[in-house]
Amino acid sequence: MTLARQIVLAARPEAAPGPEHFRLEQRDLPPLGDGQMRVRLVWMSLDPYMRGRMSAAKSYAAPIEVGAPMQAGAVAEVMESRHPGFAPGDVVLGYFPWSDMAVSDGAGVMKLDQGVAPLSAWLGVLGMPGFTGWVGLNRIAEGKAGETIVVSAATGAVGSLVCQLARARDMRVIGVAGGAAKCARAVADYGADVCLDHRAAPDARTLSRQIAEAAPAGVDVYFENVGGKTLEAVLPRMNDHGRIAVCGMIAWYSGAEAPPPLPPAWQLILTRRLRVQGFIVTDHQAQYGAFLAELAPLVGAGAIRWQETVAEGLEAAPAAFLSLLAGGNDGKQLVRIGADPVGV
Ligand SMILES: NC(=O)c1ccc[n+]([C@@H]2O[C@H](COP(=O)([O-])OP(=O)(O)OC[C@H]3O[C@@H](n4cnc5c(N)ncnc54)[C@H](OP(=O)(O)O)[C@@H]3O)[C@@H](O)[C@H]2O)c1
């Protein structure tokens, strides 16, 4: 028997989650059956969508049952294998429990090429968040040279890549981020022409005026990551035939900010002939190869920048997740669960 530590959902939060909604447990992992492998987690990803899985509400991802382990994308090392496709020492990417050890049947698990980038990058710029930014900009918003794009959560795992890809195709990039330091990074590292601090703006009207100044020709594309005050501020600035890629709305995940009334926005969608399209990255999995073919060489050449916030150890995961929801992360929020076999 191998002892694993894992973090389970202790209770469902009604509003903002807290430490009381998580519990650290130990459990024995059973001996491996045919077709199974045992992995040790190295890097674990924390992502805003996990807030949705803590709730019982119907969504695109099934709720986690109370008492069951939280789940995450993670990079792991195979320690023992009775699976024909994986051998001890392989480094893999997959979905695993928030745990230090796990048993997997290999479903949805992919072997990683260890030479392309630091292993942690497979959870950020080369992983689900980076792919989300690429899908949203290319397939949903269809951003074009010469257009103006607003990117909210502009320094986050998704937004920081959207800014860089938009800049590379000669769009005017207006980032929106929380705080002066993040805004400075959006301009210096991610190619934003301007970055507006939504936390410093007292209300949506002020932020909207700042957007109008930063986008004298109006906004053609809004890459929507947050909802809330930022959405309210951007909507009136949308040009005719503008596009909104609805990727996320973190301001509302825990019910903190009430959504603005729909009718005014609904009217704008008509009068400005906006195309508003929600998307979920997993629906676009067939494009992941095309994304990697474009991004991996850029990452290898050092042409893409990213930032990571690393929490140390499995026990630190709940606090790091709560901090992510409040904007405490700078770039991709990770948890280092065990030693990185590549030694970074
Ligand atoms: N549709 C999909 O398939 C898909 C896939 C991945 C992610 N997403 C969504 O994309 C968004 C970004 O995800 P990510 O992984 O890149 O996270 P992230 O941007 O790295 O981290 C979340 C950020 O959201 C911002 N934030 C938190 N509360 C806010 C509020 N009330 N108002 C404005 N901003 C707030 C904070 O940045 P500031 O400090 O700058 O405010 C925080 O750092 C999330 O909404 C997520 O759910 C969607």
Side-chain angles (χ1 to χ4, degrees):
M1 287 285 192
T2 306
L3 208 55
R5 292 177 315 136
Q6 60 181 22
I7 290 175
V8 304
L9 178 65
R12 293 201 191 284
E14 292 296 324
E20 67 279 15
H21 298 111
F22 302 93
R23 189 172 62 239
L24 182 65
E25 290 185 346
Q26 291 201 336
R27 67 178 280 242
D28 284 326
L29 294 181
L32 295 186
D34 281 341
Q36 290 187 320
M37 59 182 159
R38 183 167 58 83
V39 301
R40 89 175 164 86
L41 274 70
V42 176
W43 293 104
M44 190 172 90
S45 175
L46 295 175
D47 297 273
Y49 75 84
M50 294 166 174
R51 172 64 186 88
R53 297 202 67 189
M54 295 174 77
S55 138
K58 184 174 182 296
S59 185
Y60 61 90
I64 304 273
E65 294 302 326
V66 173
M70 297 289 294
Q71 301 284 321
V75 171
E77 181 180 7
V78 178
M79 305 305 289
E80 185 187 353
S81 181
R82 293 184 62 186
H83 189 296
F86 298 93
D90 285 347
V91 176
V92 299
L93 176 68
Y95 277 87
F96 301 108
W98 289 20
S99 61
D100 53 1
M101 292 274 179
V103 170
S104 166
D105 63 4
V109 176
M110 128 181 168
K111 256 192 253 187
L112 290 181
D113 178 347
Q114 300 180 30
V116 174
L119 292 181
S120 57
W122 291 96
L123 297 173
V125 71
L126 290 179
M128 185 278 282
F131 184 39
T132 301
W134 183 88
V135 166
L137 183 66
N138 294 320
R139 311 275 154 162
I140 309 299
E142 298 178 318
K144 297 177 193 61
E147 291 187 325
T148 296
I149 182 171
V150 173
V151 183
S152 50
T155 59
V158 174
S160 59
L161 185 63
V162 176
C163 288
Q164 292 176 80
L165 295 177
R167 178 56 179 247
R169 66 178 54 169
D170 291 326
M171 298 180 79
R172 177 167 174 78
V173 181
I174 299 166
V176 181
K182 286 188 180 181
C183 277
R185 188 189 298 287
V187 172
D189 290 355
Y190 304 141
D193 293 277
V194 181
C195 183
L196 304 172
D197 178 358
H198 70 89
R199 295 191 198 274
D203 50 34
R205 186 176 290 221
T206 308
L207 189 57
S208 195
R209 204 165 43 240
Q210 293 170 348
I211 292 170
E213 283 163 18
V219 175
D220 302 296
V221 172
Y222 176 39
F223 196 103
E224 162 68 310
N225 278 323
V226 303
K229 185 171 73 183
T230 306
L231 170 63
E232 214 179 323
V234 178
L235 262 180
R237 304 301 169 201
M238 294 300 298
N239 286 332
D240 289 354
H241 305 289
R243 285 94 63 205
I244 302 181
V246 184
C247 176
M249 41 193 75
I250 192 167
W252 294 327
Y253 288 173
S254 293
E257 291 182 45
L262 185 59
W266 200 242
Q267 189 174 2
L268 260 183
I269 291 168
L270 171 66
T271 56
R272 306 265 170 102
R273 286 84 93 200
L274 303 181
R275 177 157 63 76
V276 180
Q277 187 176 343
F279 71 102
I280 297 297
V281 68
T282 45
D283 293 342
H284 300 265
Q285 205 54 37
Q287 300 296 325
Y288 187 62
F291 159 76
L292 274 189
E294 183 181 326
L295 258 290
L298 293 174
V299 166
I304 298 287
R305 308 188 72 161
W306 70 89
Q307 187 70 24
E308 294 172 346
T309 299
V310 177
E312 297 292 343
L314 180 65
E315 308 74 355
F321 177 63
L322 300 178
S323 165
L324 164 76
L325 292 179
N329 61 313
D330 187 356
K332 178 66 219 159
Q333 179 66 60
L334 297 166
V335 185
R336 192 194 327 255
I337 305 284
D340 188 318
V342 180
V344 179

